[in-house]
Amino acid sequence: MKTAAVLLTILTALLLGARDIPLKVLSVSGGAEARLSPEGFLVIRFPAFSPELKNTHPTVTLGMPADCSGCDGVEADVRLSGGLSASLSINFRDGTGKQCYHTQTVVDNGRKKLHYKFNPARKMDLKNMKYLRIYLSRPPLPAEFTVYGLRLYNTVAARCGRLKPAAAQVGLAAELEKVRTAEQYEKILAAVREKQVAGLIANSRSFDGGTGIGAGSADALARPLPFHGTFAAQPGGPVRVALAACETENAHIVTVSAEALPFISAECVEFPAGIRVEIHPVGAVKTRFTPVPGVHAGWHFDPILEYTAKVENLRPRQLQLWVLRVTAPPGTKKGLYRGKIRFTAPGGSFLFPAEITVFGFALPRRMTLRTATSVYGSPLMGRNRRAFERWILKNFHLNGFSIYSETGSYGRPVLPPVSQYLEDEKEGLNFIPLLYLKLPRQAHHTGKGVPPGKSKELWERMTPAQQAVYPEEWKREYIEILKKRIPELKAVGLYRYAACYGFDEATPSERPAIIDLVKELRKHFPDLKIFSKLDDGSYGFGSPLAGIIDGWIPGIARYNFELAQKARKAGREVWYYTTGMTVDTEPLASTRAQVGERAFANHVDGWLVWTVSRWYGNKKPISSNAPLTGWDPESFPGGNGGGCYFCMGPDGRFLSTLRAESIRDGIEDFEYYTILKRLASKRSPEDPLRKEAEALDSSLKKAPGIDGKTLLDNRRRAAELIERMQ
């Protein structure tokens, strides 16, 4: 049995193209040092950048196999074994001098596998590779990495497995079995898609009004691509939506034509009064690169073009995605409502049926799951920032007040007037970030002309005794601000929503000063709550931070359910935070579950994301009827859309995205389960409906990996149980 397992492991490695790269150093430069540990691991030390030494790129060069054909890139098994954080890059070169590079940022000391992809756009000769270089670019601080292994990898076998059902449906299963390389995979993928397009068009002829357009209802949690990959659509519909009163929910429709389309438009018709229904095209953004193996780099649907119901100049076989957004206002009666969407294109028009099921209960204005974020100002945002904050609260249940007290980690705190909190309470405000408490190093260097990178370096040079004391000037400033703000909030009944947020991802060396500050604040404000992403893995148990942090906010991957429950019993809150929910790497079902059923299953008290509007290099709003927008999805190097869930539209109008809709839907899903749990708790433990509710509750996944069908089935079961219990 053991022999069979070993053979299976070897065979799997061969199929995946996994080949180890010897950790053999050819050269070092820029002050980098490399040595092999007794265990055979490669330990690399990078010095900090020095203008005098001109060591902009401390580098270690290793050999690599000459023939890397059929491989997607290199997987690096590494750990940041010394230093605070670093952006680790790998540069690949072939025998002709062509090269590509990829950077991954590491912010903690956990062992991880980083994937460095060969960039196809560089057209490197993968059969004639020479070497790879591991380096840092202008590192502000010294860093040490332990490299446990490097290996070539490819994702062909895994992608073929995912393609198998679709290939079988269009009669290409046998051809798929012959695929061995990425090039062969792309060809069979294109063939499957072509058959799907042709099938949708052919099956739509009975209702297409002579337009030659294929149209079908699509899974609202499956995100097709305009030109690449497979898709699923039910020709002729109907498209279905189910929701409670005071809720918004979406459905998707796809259209496609074998010929170029000058335009296609849509309008909602024959829907009953009282239900708000709108139809909009979804625009596409173009990713240049993605760090995740097997993920397509190119056009992805994301921004919803809410200012129009028309798109123009579609290419032949270009898929167009449409969002049917339905809102059931307060007082909407339970029932089945019907209507139609009229699509118009050159040559005619046709009707597509829709069915809306409204459940017999309503959601509250104020959601149970609390949220915290910040709204980044930018030239594109302009003077619309306050309007944007109110818009995301009213439409997406996101509290827009900045966790960083407006001006960021190295600025002076600027707090909004209490009148703005009162305005937002009417729209469901459920968390107020009272005041941002700076990291000790930030407090030491604010207003002194020290850039963030240099601040880290200067902090490391301080003695432990110096590091242990929080700057007195900031203690005084915080106390003066809170002496004024806390009574103001208490006077209008808003203090119950408030907590200070601070110490964003503090390092161990900063903890003594944090304790020093909090003890001083608590002398003046005994009931002050302090929340933080500071993560020592303890949630306050067996830690010097016990009694210091009231709300712990670990990253979602580091969330520990058992320990979090223990913390809650001790009177602490435990949230979690995310930085992803990207355009290209996370399914919409995953995004929705993270703030919906997965959050509920984990009993999280709140969800934090550092920002929702990191518009980065975007200088122009989305404003045309072209479905291929010019919006740049890269919100930070190597990340497509993390921290950026909305776009700017024309005339100061804000645009939602497919991901923002999933965030809102997830928060509303959380409310379904909250209502159900409350109703079940009022029944006898032996009540059959209570048992059904508890069985559903226990079936919800705490871990990632839910599929869209299961998520929506669970939601419907919750809705039906709520109706039966009322």
Side-chain angles (χ1 to χ4, degrees):
M1 201 70 174
K2 183 182 286 188
T3 302
V6 171
L7 288 174
L8 180 61
T9 300
I10 294 172
L11 179 60
T12 302
L14 290 172
L15 288 173
L16 291 176
R19 286 179 279 162
D20 288 338
I21 298 174
L23 300 178
K24 185 178 179 180
V25 175
L26 301 181
S27 65
V28 297
S29 61
E33 301 175 3
R35 63 177 176 83
L36 284 177
S37 71
E39 300 85 2
F41 306 140
L42 181 62
V43 180
I44 304 175
R45 290 182 177 174
F46 297 101
F49 166 66
S50 167
E52 294 78 20
L53 298 177
K54 298 181 179 180
N55 56 337
T56 56
H57 297 87
T59 301
V60 174
T61 302
L62 288 78
M64 63 186 301
D67 187 358
C68 298
S69 58
C71 296
D72 293 342
V74 168
E75 179 185 85
D77 184 359
V78 302
R79 184 171 73 88
L80 178 63
S81 46
L84 297 173
S85 64
S87 295
L88 187 69
S89 301
I90 295 184
N91 172 275
F92 303 105
R93 298 211 179 200
D94 68 10
T96 69
K98 291 180 181 177
Q99 59 180 307
C100 70
Y101 75 92
H102 183 202
T103 300
Q104 295 270 32
T105 299
V106 180
V107 297
D108 61 58
N109 300 114
R111 183 171 172 176
K112 49 184 57 67
K113 292 182 178 179
L114 307 177
H115 291 92
Y116 293 83
K117 294 176 66 175
F118 300 138
N119 190 342
R122 297 295 183 180
K123 300 185 186 304
M124 298 171 65
D125 184 357
L126 295 181
K127 293 185 177 180
N128 182 24
M129 299 299 289
K130 288 300 182 184
Y131 54 79
L132 63 85
R133 289 173 168 168
I134 303 175
Y135 67 95
L136 301 186
S137 181
R138 292 179 177 267
L141 294 171
E144 178 185 278
F145 279 90
T146 298
V147 182
Y148 299 96
L150 299 171
R151 70 168 198 161
L152 294 163
Y153 73 89
N154 78 42
T155 58
V156 171
R159 284 187 283 171
C160 284
R162 293 193 293 270
L163 183 59
K164 193 171 183 178
Q169 285 182 346
V170 298
L172 292 176
E175 286 78 358
L176 182 65
E177 294 294 330
K178 303 173 186 177
V179 169
R180 295 293 180 271
T181 68
E183 293 79 7
Q184 292 170 340
Y185 171 81
E186 289 297 331
K187 287 181 180 178
I188 194 70
L189 177 63
V192 171
R193 181 184 175 94
E194 179 61 27
K195 284 184 173 290
Q196 290 179 328
V197 168
L200 181 58
I201 293 172
N203 291 322
S204 301
R205 287 197 183 108
S206 62
F207 64 84
D208 71 5
T211 62
I213 292 172
S217 57
D219 181 352
L221 292 175
R223 182 166 42 193
L225 303 180
F227 303 107
H228 188 268
T230 63
F231 66 96
Q234 180 62 42
V239 61
R240 293 185 173 92
V241 182
L243 73 168
C246 305
E247 185 182 10
T248 298
E249 187 74 14
N250 293 339
H252 289 178
I253 301 170
V254 295
T255 57
V256 67
S257 172
E259 309 297 330
L261 270 181
F263 75 89
I264 180 171
S265 63
E267 61 176 324
C268 296
V269 297
E270 301 180 24
F271 285 94
I275 299 280
R276 292 203 297 269
V277 184
E278 52 191 286
I279 182 86
H280 298 291
V282 182
V285 295
K286 191 172 186 180
T287 63
R288 295 185 293 274
F289 187 73
T290 177
V292 178
V295 172
H296 175 67
W299 290 104
H300 291 257
F301 285 120
D302 195 43
I304 299 172
L305 309 184
E306 301 180 30
Y307 54 86
T308 186
K310 179 181 181 180
V311 284
E312 300 172 342
N313 301 321
L314 282 81
R315 304 174 192 174
R317 295 174 176 78
Q318 176 180 341
L319 208 68
Q320 180 57 51
L321 183 64
W322 301 81
V323 164
L324 178 69
R325 182 186 288 149
V326 180
T327 301
T332 304
K333 293 182 179 180
K334 175 183 176 180
L336 178 64
Y337 301 78
R338 290 185 173 92
K340 295 175 183 177
I341 299 97
R342 177 184 289 120
F343 287 99
T344 302
S349 65
F350 60 91
L351 296 174
F352 198 95
E355 294 182 353
I356 301 168
T357 298
V358 177
F359 299 126
F361 61 94
L363 298 187
R365 165 63 70 183
R366 196 177 331 279
M367 295 288 109
T368 300
L369 183 72
R370 287 180 291 163
T371 63
T373 188
S374 67
V375 173
Y376 278 18
S378 68
L380 200 52
M381 178 74 73
R383 297 179 180 178
N384 298 305
R385 182 168 177 169
R386 174 59 185 151
F388 180 79
E389 291 173 350
R390 298 204 71 193
W391 181 74
I392 63 173
L393 175 62
K394 183 176 181 178
N395 295 284
F396 300 92
H397 314 299
L398 299 175
N399 302 302
F401 293 112
S402 175
I403 55 176
Y404 300 114
S405 298
E406 188 84 13
T407 54
S409 303
Y410 287 89
R412 315 299 298 193
V414 177
L415 304 185
V418 172
S419 61
Q420 291 186 3
Y421 296 138
L422 289 169
E423 289 173 353
D424 284 9
E425 189 192 20
K426 298 174 185 177
E427 300 295 346
L429 177 75
N430 63 12
F431 180 74
I432 294 174
L434 184 54
L435 176 66
Y436 178 67
L437 304 177
K438 298 174 181 290
L439 290 167
R441 60 178 167 80
Q442 293 168 347
H444 274 286
H445 301 131
T446 292
K448 297 178 181 177
V450 178
K454 190 69 174 178
S455 174
K456 294 180 180 180
E457 180 183 345
L458 294 175
W459 174 262
E460 290 296 304
R461 292 179 184 176
M462 295 171 66
T463 67
Q466 291 172 322
Q467 291 177 337
V469 179
Y470 204 90
E472 288 297 325
E473 63 173 300
W474 279 100
K475 288 181 183 177
R476 291 193 299 270
E477 179 152 351
Y478 292 153
I479 290 167
E480 289 305 310
I481 291 172
L482 293 172
K483 278 183 176 179
K484 182 175 186 296
R485 180 47 54 105
I486 289 176
E488 290 176 338
L489 293 177
K490 287 183 175 180
V492 294
L494 295 180
Y495 189 59
R496 65 187 186 277
Y497 301 130
C500 285
Y501 173 77
F503 319 128
D504 217 19
E505 299 174 351
T507 61
S509 64
E510 294 178 289
R511 292 172 191 168
I514 289 171
I515 294 170
D516 176 51
L517 169 65
V518 175
K519 286 183 175 180
E520 183 64 26
L521 293 179
R522 289 264 161 76
K523 292 177 185 177
H524 299 268
F525 316 103
D527 60 348
L528 178 67
K529 292 183 179 179
I530 296 174
F531 290 9
S532 179
K533 286 196 295 184
L534 190 161
D535 183 12
D536 68 352
S538 75
Y539 299 173
F541 294 104
S543 163
L545 296 167
I548 299 298
I549 304 299
D550 305 287
W552 296 83
I553 312 178
I556 189 170
R558 292 172 60 85
Y559 180 85
N560 183 311
F561 176 73
E562 287 74 20
L563 195 57
Q565 287 293 85
K566 183 180 176 183
R568 291 187 185 99
K569 288 180 180 178
R572 301 165 203 154
E573 292 191 23
V574 185
W575 298 26
Y576 58 44
Y577 76 89
T578 60
T579 58
M581 299 179 169
T582 56
V583 169
D584 51 350
T585 61
E586 285 193 45
L588 293 175
S590 173
T591 295
R592 183 165 177 165
Q594 284 177 42
V595 290
E597 74 162 68
R598 182 179 172 190
F600 184 84
N602 279 291
H603 298 183
V604 299
D605 298 296
W607 170 66
L608 181 145
V609 62
W610 89 102
T611 186
V612 295
S613 59
R614 196 169 197 270
W615 290 344
Y616 207 47
N618 286 291
K619 301 294 190 295
K620 295 180 180 179
I622 300 172
S623 58
S624 77
N625 287 342
L628 306 180
T629 72
W631 188 269
D632 185 354
E634 188 177 65
S635 49
F636 55 88
N640 294 309
C644 179
Y645 309 110
F646 302 94
C647 302
M648 198 70 199
D651 305 318
R653 182 168 187 162
F654 314 116
L655 303 181
S656 177
T657 64
L658 296 177
R659 295 167 299 128
E661 302 284 314
S662 289
I663 290 170
R664 179 204 60 229
D665 293 343
I667 293 171
E668 292 173 348
D669 291 349
F670 191 104
E671 205 62 32
Y672 274 49
Y673 296 115
T674 301
I675 293 170
L676 179 59
K677 188 171 185 177
R678 183 174 65 248
L679 291 174
S681 69
K682 296 177 181 179
R683 292 175 171 260
S684 162
E686 300 305 315
D687 185 289
L689 289 178
R690 176 168 176 166
K691 288 184 176 181
E692 280 191 57
E694 290 172 344
L696 175 58
D697 190 339
S698 63
S699 74
L700 302 181
K701 288 186 66 172
K702 295 180 177 67
I706 191 169
D707 63 274
K709 183 180 183 305
T710 301
L711 186 150
L712 294 177
D713 285 348
N714 289 342
R715 173 180 175 270
R716 180 174 280 276
R717 284 177 61 199
E720 291 170 350
L721 282 166
I722 291 170
E723 289 182 324
R724 291 163 65 190
M725 286 187 185
Q726 289 188 129

